[in-house]
Amino acid sequence: MVRIKCIALLISLLIPFSGLMGQEAYKNILIFFGDNETRPAYGRIVEGIKSAFPKGSPTTVNVILEYLDLERFSDSIHLHQVVELYNKRVRASAIDLIVTVAPGAYDALNEAGLKLLHLVPVIALEMSPQDPERYRPEMRVVELEIEWSPQKSMMHAFSLFPGYRHAMIIGGCSDSDRMFNARLLKDTSYFKDTHQFTLLTCVSIDSILEVVSRVSDSTLIFMSSFITDADSNRFSSALALGLISSESPVPVFTMSDNFIDYGGVGGHIVSFLEVGKEVGEIARDMFENDTSNGLTKISKSYYRYQYNWKELRKWEILDSKVIPADSTFFYKDFNFLTQYRWQIIGVFMFILMQAVLIYFLIRLARRQKKVSLQKAENEKLYRRLVHEDRLTLMAQLTASLAHELNQPLAAILFNAQAGLRFLASGKLDDQQVEAILSGIVEDDKRAGDIISSVRNLMKKETREKERVDLVAVIKETIRILHLDMERQSIQVIFNDSSEPVYVFGDRIQLQQVFMNLILNAAFALSSKEDRPKQIYIKLSHSNSNIIVFFEDNGPGIDEAMRLKLFDAFVTTSEDGLGIGLAICKSIVQNHGGKIIAENRPEGGAVFSITLQAFTNGK
Amino acid sequence: MESSAITVFIIDDDPSIRKSLSLLLSSHGFETECYSCSEEFLSRLPIEGIGCILLDLQMDGINGLELQEKLSQHDKQLPIIFLSGQGNISSTVRALRAGAITFLEKPCLEDDLLKAITEALTISHKRATEREAWHTARQKLMSLSPRETEVLKLVITGMLNKQVAGELNIAEHTVKLHRQHITEKLGVKSVAEIVRMTQLSGLISIT
């Protein structure tokens, strides 16, 4: 059956040759293993070799695996059949590299007379020093000796479990088992003062499992090679390890990475994956630079820190300080949360931050909406107050305004009656008609102006700001208040410059401010006994600013009152709501200006309003 | 007296009122003079003849009521008609108490205005007549000699010639002569007339 398999293998490897022989970059590597495919180390080595030729690299390799199974077929018949097959059927040019893998592959093939060994470059993997005489001078050989020091693995295992003072060495009964057992046993001498060793080699598997299941807590198990037990039952080391580690209440350590898959803890062990990679590197170097020549001996350590992550977790030594940070962990990826902990935390944090951000954005949006609603509400309230204030002002002025309107009405009536009289007496001449009618027209206009300025003040709607002549606004304000001031025997003196002075604003609101300030001054003057009662309005302007002063020769502002003068509902007058000056301040500020109340050194108050001058650019 | 001008003085700070009022009054045949403020009018004083004042209540400077007060100190006072757009009770009362003819509110009816002006002018005329009579009485009484004045003072008390002669230690005949001179100088016929003239002049107190 084995023979059939070998032939099948050969055929399978011959097929790709036919079509691809011509391509130089296509290389065949023939690997001879001393044992059979159940040795996990072999798989690692092949994996390592292949990894040296990744897809897209200039050389593509075809790996042919040949298992000599020397231990099982100790009669060498299988070996000779294989060698004969290759000697007869396979031309040297079909193989670019031979790799022989311990234990015993090179020597066996050499003895069996494999011709290819002399024709094709060879990489011989060994685990102990070899006699250089076994190579013939014409051979192109790279001998790679892999360091095998079980004490390194044991030392690390003990440091992982510092409290464990016992160790048990378990191994099989075959020749290679015995060889590995001996190597382990030899290295126990390093720990003879600190640890107590029990040897469990070449015993039946049942006995081993029995012992293992009852082993004391502070014991570490070191697994050697295990091909056969004392009853000559064949195992693979992997199978044996699986059985033992599942039975064991204590950690099981192996000497190389090939057992990690089967229940070993790992540790400071030989990485056959790395060995395979090294072989692959050497092979690639040979292929690409044609450097193979004579004998090259390499002795190298492939000890690496590698762990079965699940085992570390099981024995609760994940956080052990003796595990180097750059160690390799296997099976860690099974735990998604742990494997990608930082990524997950990162993603989670990102999502969280996004969520928080979104939350705050939503809140911000809501608040802005609320604020804008509030603002609109305030705006409405403000407009209402401004309007309210104007209505209050108008109410104060009703009598004066009625009189103001009576003047032109009376004049119109007088004119008309004069006209009738002249008409009746037949003495009406053209000149008189002209005088009468022009008088009526003039007075009618005047009455209309009064009504429209009153109506403007009463209007509620907001107006667009525009270019406003302050001089005109002041004059109109004085005109509206004229009779009221006369009634109170107050002189309003405006050093009127005929030059217009422009600001950008709401004419009616500015008029309202001036009206408030004049009436405020008049109120202050009402308590004054002596004459004259005077209000001076003065304008001063520079290029950028216009200041309007409202001065009176009244008693001045009480210092305690002065500071809160512009607060709402502060008043000494019984008529007003006390919002007048507060409104003034709001309106002035709304126009980008400021209003200040002071006392004059010569007595009386002065209110000054500073506004920005209107220039064409603005 | 009838020949001297009748003038209506308009004092108002509103030019269109002045103009229209003046036009209306001239249509009724009145002479008018317009003043824009009290000060201007005061500088125009004294005013002879018959007339009246149409006075605005509220004006810059000296206002209507103040002007009324100032004018009352002058002897040849013209009657005042107040004309206001904004009369209130207190100022109306004050004005009337101080002797104003009436208090008209603008805009006022032509009839009311003319009625007030007529009344004012009547008063003005009466005052002018009285003033004339007083003036005449004074002049006449001043023309008497000291002795005649002494006689007059006793005569108006109701004394007979004999009693006067006894009082002054002069002859009754002399008293008779003085009385004749007095009636000639004063241009009166009876003692009653002498008494009235003396009262009018206010120069001699009658006890």
Side-chain angles (χ1 to χ4, degrees):
Chain A
M1 196 200 90
V2 173
R3 229 169 290 162
I4 295 166
K5 202 176 85 186
C6 289
I7 293 161
L9 257 172
L10 252 180
I11 293 165
S12 78
L13 77 87
L14 287 173
I15 293 165
F17 289 84
S18 49
L20 299 163
M21 289 265 269
Q23 295 185 16
E24 268 181 68
Y26 198 92
K27 302 292 183 186
N28 287 306
I29 301 175
L30 175 58
I31 307 175
F32 288 105
F33 296 103
D35 205 347
N36 63 30
E37 66 272 23
T38 60
R39 270 195 190 272
Y42 294 169
R44 296 258 173 197
I45 289 168
V46 174
E47 196 185 327
I49 292 171
K50 283 182 176 169
S51 74
F53 299 93
K55 269 186 185 162
S57 61
T59 313
T60 308
V61 294
N62 178 46
V63 180
I64 305 148
L65 308 177
E66 199 62 68
Y67 298 94
L68 300 176
D69 218 349
L70 297 171
E71 249 176 298
R72 199 148 44 120
F73 305 114
S74 49
D75 55 5
S76 315
I77 294 171
H78 172 64
L79 173 69
H80 282 105
Q81 282 174 339
V82 171
V83 169
E84 200 182 331
L85 189 67
Y86 277 93
N87 281 348
K88 283 186 177 169
R89 297 291 169 88
V90 179
R91 282 175 293 130
S93 60
I95 304 296
D96 299 288
L97 175 68
I98 290 174
V99 179
T100 66
V101 184
Y106 180 84
D107 287 332
L109 291 168
N110 198 19
E111 275 166 33
L114 181 71
K115 286 177 188 165
L116 290 172
L117 285 182
H118 302 272
L119 306 168
V120 177
V122 176
I123 297 173
L125 291 183
E126 299 295 348
M127 299 188 67
S128 52
Q130 301 294 324
D131 180 5
E133 293 302 313
R134 67 177 183 166
Y135 306 113
R136 298 264 289 280
E138 75 276 13
M139 285 182 172
R140 288 170 286 168
V141 180
V142 175
E143 187 191 282
L144 184 60
E145 191 198 328
I146 303 156
E147 186 196 2
W148 189 256
S149 309
Q151 57 103 354
K152 283 190 175 176
S153 304
M154 289 198 254
M155 176 99 85
H156 185 66
F158 287 138
S159 67
L160 280 173
F161 294 92
Y164 288 52
R165 289 294 162 209
H166 293 89
M168 182 179 280
I169 294 171
I170 296 175
C173 225
S174 74
D175 289 347
S176 61
D177 289 345
R178 286 165 196 271
M179 183 194 84
F180 283 113
N181 294 347
R183 291 282 289 276
L184 250 75
L185 193 57
K186 183 172 152 253
D187 281 6
T188 59
S189 61
Y190 289 98
F191 310 101
K192 65 177 183 227
D193 295 335
T194 52
H195 294 79
Q196 197 180 341
F197 286 86
T198 310
L199 207 57
L200 203 63
T201 55
C202 213
V203 192
S204 74
I205 188 74
D206 293 336
S207 309
I208 290 172
L209 295 177
E210 173 74 21
V211 173
V212 164
S213 66
R214 286 187 285 107
V215 78
S216 74
D217 277 350
S218 59
T219 306
L220 295 181
I221 292 173
F222 294 111
M223 192 68 189
S224 178
S225 174
F226 204 105
I227 305 294
T228 58
D229 73 349
D231 301 335
S232 297
N233 290 318
R234 280 196 70 82
F235 290 90
S236 74
S237 299
L239 179 60
L241 175 62
L243 286 169
I244 291 163
S245 68
S246 65
E247 202 68 39
S248 167
V250 295
V252 180
F253 283 89
T254 57
M255 302 297 120
S256 58
D257 65 342
N258 45 328
F259 294 107
I260 278 179
D261 304 1
Y262 304 95
V265 173
H268 194 204
I269 51 176
V270 173
S271 169
F272 282 108
L273 188 71
E274 291 298 318
V275 172
K277 278 182 190 167
E278 183 85 49
V279 173
E281 299 286 324
I282 294 166
R284 205 177 61 194
D285 194 43
M286 279 180 178
F287 298 149
E288 286 167 12
N289 304 319
D290 198 22
T291 52
S292 62
N293 221 335
L295 173 64
T296 310
K297 285 189 81 144
I298 302 168
S299 181
K300 212 167 166 182
S301 169
Y302 294 95
Y303 273 89
R304 301 283 188 275
Y305 289 95
Q306 303 187 90
Y307 303 90
N308 180 336
W309 193 84
K310 281 195 220 168
E311 288 287 318
L312 294 182
R313 191 179 56 185
K314 181 179 168 188
W315 304 112
E316 297 174 348
I317 52 167
L318 271 172
D319 300 326
S320 174
K321 288 194 172 66
V322 298
I323 298 175
D326 57 350
S327 304
T328 310
F329 297 96
F330 293 91
Y331 303 114
K332 203 177 167 182
D333 55 344
F334 276 88
N335 191 328
F336 181 79
L337 280 179
T338 319
Q339 177 79 19
Y340 296 105
R341 188 199 298 171
W342 295 113
Q343 288 93 325
I344 289 167
I345 289 173
V347 168
F348 183 74
M349 289 301 283
F350 181 72
I351 291 170
L352 191 76
M353 269 163 58
Q354 290 274 29
V356 168
L357 192 69
I358 289 167
Y359 170 75
F360 278 111
L361 283 175
I362 289 171
R363 232 177 68 165
L364 192 70
R366 276 201 193 143
R367 214 163 50 193
Q368 274 174 349
K369 201 173 155 192
K370 216 168 116 184
V371 165
S372 65
L373 276 175
Q374 185 72 47
K375 212 175 140 191
E377 195 63 35
N378 286 347
E379 185 85 5
K380 231 167 92 181
L381 186 71
Y382 169 70
R383 281 210 304 269
R384 232 182 62 199
L385 275 174
V386 169
H387 186 241
E388 207 76 33
D389 176 61
R390 283 207 301 269
L391 293 184
T392 310
L393 290 178
M394 296 316 291
Q396 267 176 271
L397 296 175
T398 313
S400 305
L401 285 169
H403 176 51
E404 180 74 26
L405 204 52
N406 277 341
Q407 296 286 107
L409 287 179
I412 290 168
L413 188 62
F414 292 151
N415 270 315
Q417 284 168 336
L420 287 172
R421 174 61 50 192
F422 280 127
L423 197 63
S425 60
K427 284 191 266 178
L428 190 65
D429 60 38
D430 289 354
Q431 220 175 343
Q432 282 164 331
V433 171
E434 208 259 319
I436 288 165
L437 292 181
S438 65
I440 289 175
V441 168
E442 204 174 292
D443 289 318
D444 191 87
K445 266 190 200 158
R446 191 172 134 201
D449 284 350
I450 293 162
I451 288 168
S452 78
S453 61
V454 169
R455 201 172 47 198
N456 278 335
L457 280 165
M458 304 289 255
K459 263 187 201 164
K460 201 168 183 177
E461 72 257 37
T462 48
R463 288 154 303 273
E464 290 296 312
K465 283 184 183 167
E466 58 189 351
R467 193 180 77 151
V468 178
D469 175 15
L470 277 188
V471 173
V473 175
I474 292 170
K475 281 184 179 169
E476 190 183 353
T477 311
I478 293 172
R479 195 166 59 76
I480 292 173
L481 296 174
H482 170 73
L483 282 163
D484 197 56
M485 295 299 116
E486 236 174 33
R487 186 173 54 80
Q488 301 181 58
S489 304
I490 293 168
Q491 279 176 275
V492 180
I493 301 150
F494 176 39
N495 64 339
D496 90 70
S497 57
S498 46
E499 286 284 302
V501 174
Y502 293 111
V503 295
F504 188 72
D506 182 326
R507 196 169 55 81
I508 298 300
Q509 287 193 354
L510 289 172
Q511 191 174 323
Q512 182 177 356
V513 171
F514 300 157
M515 215 179 231
N516 263 308
L517 291 179
I518 294 172
L519 286 173
N520 197 62
F523 180 75
L525 286 168
S526 65
S527 59
K528 186 178 155 89
E529 297 289 334
D530 55 329
R531 295 283 181 81
K533 299 175 178 183
Q534 285 169 323
I535 297 171
Y536 313 94
I537 302 170
K538 295 172 183 167
L539 255 176
S540 95
H541 63 104
S542 63
N543 285 337
S544 54
N545 282 327
I546 297 170
I547 310 175
V548 193
F549 299 95
F550 291 85
E551 301 183 19
D552 63 65
N553 60 352
I557 311 159
D558 180 41
E559 197 58 35
M561 195 77 175
R562 196 169 74 89
L563 295 171
K564 52 180 183 174
L565 203 59
F566 294 104
D567 296 347
F569 308 112
V570 170
T571 180
T572 52
S573 151
E574 280 166 20
D575 313 345
L577 274 174
I579 57 171
L581 287 176
I583 293 284
C584 287
K585 190 184 175 188
S586 309
I587 291 174
V588 170
Q589 283 177 348
N590 197 19
H591 281 73
K594 59 178 180 186
I595 178 165
I596 297 168
E598 284 163 316
N599 282 317
R600 299 196 308 169
E602 65 266 43
V606 53
F607 285 76
S608 59
I609 296 169
T610 309
L611 293 166
Q612 277 181 303
F614 179 89
T615 52
N616 284 335
K618 203 190 81 170
Chain B
M1 190 132 324
E2 290 294 321
S3 60
S4 67
I6 296 173
T7 312
V8 179
F9 297 91
I10 300 169
I11 307 169
D12 199 314
D13 58 357
D14 189 325
S16 63
I17 292 286
R18 289 200 299 270
K19 229 155 79 183
S20 59
L21 200 51
S22 146
L23 197 63
L24 176 62
L25 295 179
S26 69
S27 75
H28 285 277
F30 293 111
E31 290 290 323
T32 58
E33 276 182 34
C34 296
Y35 301 92
S36 65
C37 63
S38 306
E39 288 84 349
E40 198 186 335
F41 180 72
L42 285 171
S43 66
R44 161 75 171 75
L45 294 178
I47 293 164
E48 300 293 334
I50 297 166
C52 67
I53 300 171
L54 287 179
L55 183 56
D56 188 17
L57 189 63
Q58 281 136 11
M59 284 180 294
D60 281 339
I62 301 168
N63 69 28
L65 290 172
E66 288 162 346
L67 181 64
Q68 182 187 27
E69 206 184 315
K70 279 188 194 295
L71 291 177
S72 69
Q73 290 153 10
H74 289 76
D75 58 344
K76 290 172 188 169
Q77 193 190 354
L78 291 174
I80 293 172
I81 299 164
F82 275 100
L83 202 56
S84 170
Q86 196 185 21
N88 55 38
I89 291 169
S90 69
S91 50
T92 310
V93 167
R94 213 181 122 191
L96 294 177
R97 220 176 247 173
I101 300 301
T102 188
F103 202 107
L104 292 176
E105 241 181 79
K106 282 185 256 183
C108 59
L109 292 172
E110 193 181 10
D111 288 350
D112 293 342
L113 183 64
L114 287 175
K115 209 176 123 194
I117 289 173
T118 309
E119 192 188 334
L121 290 177
T122 309
I123 289 170
S124 176
H125 187 263
K126 199 174 141 212
R127 279 188 196 157
T129 314
E130 279 172 4
R131 196 160 57 234
E132 195 63 41
W134 172 78
H135 201 70
T136 312
R138 274 195 119 163
Q139 274 182 341
K140 284 177 179 171
L141 284 171
M142 301 280 260
S143 67
L144 298 182
S145 68
R147 182 55 94 184
E148 284 165 358
T149 308
E150 271 178 89
V151 172
L152 181 121
K153 280 180 179 170
L154 296 172
V155 166
I156 57 172
T157 62
M159 282 186 180
L160 299 172
N161 287 348
K162 198 195 280 177
Q163 289 170 306
V164 173
E167 193 78 14
L168 296 175
N169 290 320
I170 53 172
E172 193 183 347
H173 171 73
T174 316
V175 173
K176 232 179 179 175
L177 200 68
H178 281 306
R179 277 186 72 156
Q180 196 184 336
H181 283 149
I182 290 168
T183 50
E184 274 169 16
K185 275 184 177 171
L186 296 183
V188 294
K189 290 182 175 90
S190 64
V191 177
E193 273 181 283
I194 296 171
V195 171
R196 213 180 66 227
M197 189 177 275
T198 313
Q199 274 178 329
L200 186 70
S201 74
L203 283 177
I204 298 159
S205 62
I206 299 162
T207 53

